[in-house]
Amino acid sequence: MRTFSLTQARIDMSELDEDSDGFLQPHEMESYIRGLIPNLAQLRDMPAQFVQMYCRIAARKFFFFCDPHRRGKACIKKVLLSNCLQELMELHQESEEEVTDTEQAENWFSLTSAQRICDMFLALDKDTNGTLSKQELKEYADGTLTEIFIERVFDEHVRRGKVGGGNSREMDFESFLDFVLALENKDTTEGLTYLFKCLDLNGRGYLTTADIHSLFRDVHQKWIEGGNYELCIEDVRDEIWDMVKPVNHLRITSDDLLNCKQGGTVASMLIDVRGFWAHDNRENLLQEEEEQVEEQ
């Protein structure tokens, strides 16, 4: 069945590949997803007015993971072998009988998830101009992300706007989807690559102890404002070094972060006070999870 499903997907995608180069452009990927909706049990009842928005949200995940160089086209072979396609095909299951609410919420392609992301963007877009300013984006995740990280996201991943002068930058919906995908997939190569560009304050391809200090200063400030105990930034810096164990003990590269298998945790500690709190309380959280499993 899997072979048949992949063969059918390859045929459908090849038919949509207008220039027959083996790659899909965003509008072609959206067309492919639109054609699937009637055949996926969990999407059949989608409101007609939401279909276009849904296809944009769904297609963006394929491009985030299958177009790493951001060329605006995704290799069909790569799409067929990606976890994204598997995740999308999971929506064949009848939702009422086979899928829990948690699974639906965690699947990017579920209707629940797409509506959540759309609602999130609309809630942040206070001036309803269809894009997000730095100030608006700071409210993401209840304002737990640091100011320096938001600044760096705009520096590295948001194109300059054509309106309001050369320095006017606002985040469009596609860039917002990339931002959410990176934060929700911090342990993947693609998610960490996105985040590392933001952490690499000087664009040198590596982080120094000074960079870690600059990044964590914002987290520390939010930590103290939240009424937590006093921290020693140097201790946190040393802990990060111990977690990563970089090849060159003076600098941390993106490869070091990927290879240490804790890159997502380290990134969270440096950009999000909630991420640092989760790390600081990891033993208590683990104990609570074990207790919940025992109760079930």
Side-chain angles (χ1 to χ4, degrees):
M1 278 180 75
R2 178 159 165 72
T3 305
F4 175 80
S5 175
L6 282 171
T7 306
Q8 186 61 54
R10 183 169 194 153
I11 293 166
D12 293 344
M13 288 180 195
S14 298
E15 284 178 354
L16 290 164
D17 179 12
E18 292 164 6
D19 50 7
S20 304
D21 65 347
F23 288 82
L24 290 182
Q25 294 176 44
H27 71 279
E28 294 165 340
M29 191 75 224
E30 287 176 28
S31 295
Y32 170 71
I33 292 164
R34 189 175 288 111
L36 279 182
I37 290 173
N39 303 318
L40 296 173
Q42 293 178 45
L43 300 180
R44 261 184 226 134
D45 301 325
M46 186 188 300
Q49 66 271 25
F50 191 65
V51 170
Q52 188 178 355
M53 179 61 78
Y54 174 82
C55 292
R56 279 176 79 187
I57 293 169
R60 198 64 193 176
K61 181 158 188 175
F62 282 99
F63 281 87
F64 186 82
F65 285 99
C66 303
D67 177 27
H69 302 299
R70 302 289 175 258
R71 294 180 298 177
K73 53 184 188 175
C75 174
I76 290 175
K77 278 186 184 175
K78 200 165 184 177
V79 168
L80 289 166
L81 296 171
S82 70
N83 291 333
C84 301
L85 191 62
Q86 273 182 284
E87 193 181 347
L88 178 59
M89 292 306 176
E90 282 172 16
L91 303 181
H92 272 301
Q93 297 170 308
E94 294 293 343
S95 53
E96 294 82 11
E97 296 165 21
E98 302 171 39
V99 187
T100 65
D101 290 344
T102 308
E103 283 173 328
Q104 270 194 306
E106 287 176 354
N107 186 324
W108 176 268
F109 299 102
S110 71
L111 188 54
T112 307
S113 171
Q115 286 172 329
R116 170 183 68 87
I117 289 152
C118 190
D119 291 345
M120 202 190 304
F121 184 83
L122 292 172
L124 291 170
D125 184 16
K126 294 283 192 293
D127 58 6
T128 64
N129 68 342
T131 56
L132 302 180
S133 64
K134 289 177 188 175
Q135 204 55 44
E136 288 170 331
L137 191 63
K138 282 174 191 170
E139 298 305 312
Y140 179 86
D142 300 327
T144 61
L145 297 173
T146 64
E147 206 158 311
I148 191 170
F149 173 62
I150 299 293
E151 289 284 341
R152 292 292 298 142
V153 167
F154 272 75
D155 288 346
E156 294 295 330
H157 300 292
V158 178
R159 296 183 296 275
R160 287 195 184 279
K162 291 175 182 171
V163 290
N167 294 321
S168 166
R169 271 194 201 187
E170 295 237 333
M171 179 182 271
D172 62 18
F173 188 57
E174 267 67 31
S175 298
F176 176 72
L177 293 175
D178 285 346
F179 173 77
V180 176
L181 280 161
L183 289 174
E184 293 187 358
N185 297 274
K186 286 192 280 281
D187 288 313
T188 64
T189 303
E190 295 79 7
L192 262 180
T193 301
Y194 179 104
L195 295 173
F196 188 82
K197 281 186 175 177
C198 304
L199 298 176
D200 183 7
L201 301 177
N202 298 295
R204 294 176 295 200
Y206 58 84
L207 309 180
T208 62
T209 52
D211 292 328
I212 300 293
H213 202 282
S214 299
L215 289 161
F216 193 72
R217 205 164 45 218
D218 265 16
V219 177
H220 181 244
Q221 188 180 338
K222 283 182 178 287
W223 177 261
I224 298 303
E225 285 169 3
N228 295 292
Y229 64 87
E230 184 55 66
L231 284 169
C232 174
I233 296 180
E234 284 71 23
D235 288 348
V236 175
R237 184 194 62 202
D238 292 345
E239 186 178 358
I240 286 172
W241 237 256
D242 289 341
M243 288 165 74
V244 177
K245 296 183 175 57
V247 174
N248 179 334
H249 69 278
L250 294 176
R251 55 181 66 166
I252 292 174
T253 64
S254 58
D255 284 344
D256 290 327
L257 274 187
L258 285 165
N259 294 335
C260 76
K261 307 297 181 197
Q262 296 190 75
T265 304
V266 171
S268 286
M269 291 166 69
L270 294 172
I271 65 173
D272 183 356
V273 70
R274 196 178 282 168
F276 179 75
W277 183 90
H279 173 73
D280 195 57
N281 289 273
R282 59 196 178 282
E283 288 170 9
N284 296 340
L285 293 172
L286 194 63
Q287 194 176 339
E288 281 175 24
E289 278 176 28
E290 286 168 358
E291 285 168 4
Q292 282 170 2
V293 169
E294 282 169 16
E295 283 170 15
Q296 287 168 6

